[in-house]
Amino acid sequence: LQKSLNETFGADKYSEARKEVLTNMFSRPMQMALYFCTGVLEDETLFRHYALNVPFYTHFTSPIRRYADIIVHRLLSASLGASSPIKMEKEAIQKQADHCNDRKMASKRVQELSTDLFFAIFVRVR
């Protein structure tokens, strides 16, 4: 997508702005990744990462950033035998994943509304 946009737009003073607007518009409809507990899903094809084309995938960042990352770190550590097993039922883990998904979607929605608001103000001023 980025290569196509780079080839489509010229080098005038507005080309970079047009690319940014279209990149933002194209990426919005993409499905957001969801947290889930593998123990509650029967279909292992749901574990794959579409864009990376890998059959099993987990994502996390530093565990100091988000609660979801803390859970993933703890579960991964326990599954590798580096720490004691997590004393949570899979349904409880899924409930936590659902809560993290809800908060992530609410945050994304607020971010989008904020972007729309500031874009509207920018257009009005210009």
Side-chain angles (χ1 to χ4, degrees):
L1 177 63
Q2 194 65 38
K3 184 179 177 190
S4 294
L5 289 174
N6 287 337
E7 291 172 357
T8 301
F9 293 109
D12 68 344
K13 65 181 183 177
Y14 298 111
S15 63
E16 197 62 36
R18 286 192 301 266
K19 273 196 306 194
E20 276 193 48
V21 168
L22 285 176
T23 300
N24 186 6
M25 291 172 69
F26 289 148
S27 64
R28 268 192 184 183
M30 291 182 179
Q31 184 178 8
M32 276 183 53
L34 297 175
Y35 297 107
F36 62 90
C37 176
T38 58
V40 300
L41 295 178
E42 298 290 327
D43 185 3
E44 286 190 2
T45 62
L46 298 174
F47 300 177
R48 73 186 310 269
H49 190 287
Y50 177 78
L52 296 176
N53 194 27
V54 292
F56 295 100
Y57 179 82
T58 191
H59 171 81
F60 57 88
T61 60
S62 169
I64 63 171
R65 289 191 55 211
R66 298 180 302 197
Y67 181 65
D69 297 319
I70 292 170
I71 292 174
V72 172
H73 274 257
R74 289 178 181 168
L75 291 168
L76 186 58
S77 178
S79 71
L80 295 172
S83 64
S84 57
I86 304 295
K87 293 180 173 66
M88 288 177 73
E89 297 293 323
K90 58 187 173 187
E91 291 77 13
I93 294 171
Q94 183 58 49
K95 188 174 180 181
Q96 292 294 315
D98 291 339
H99 178 73
C100 290
N101 289 330
D102 290 344
R103 297 295 83 215
K104 185 168 71 166
M105 284 186 214
S107 174
K108 182 169 175 54
R109 183 67 182 136
V110 169
Q111 179 185 3
E112 289 171 351
L113 290 171
S114 173
T115 300
D116 292 347
L117 172 65
F118 284 98
F119 183 69
I121 291 169
F122 174 77
V123 169
R124 186 174 193 184
V125 169
R126 300 290 175 197

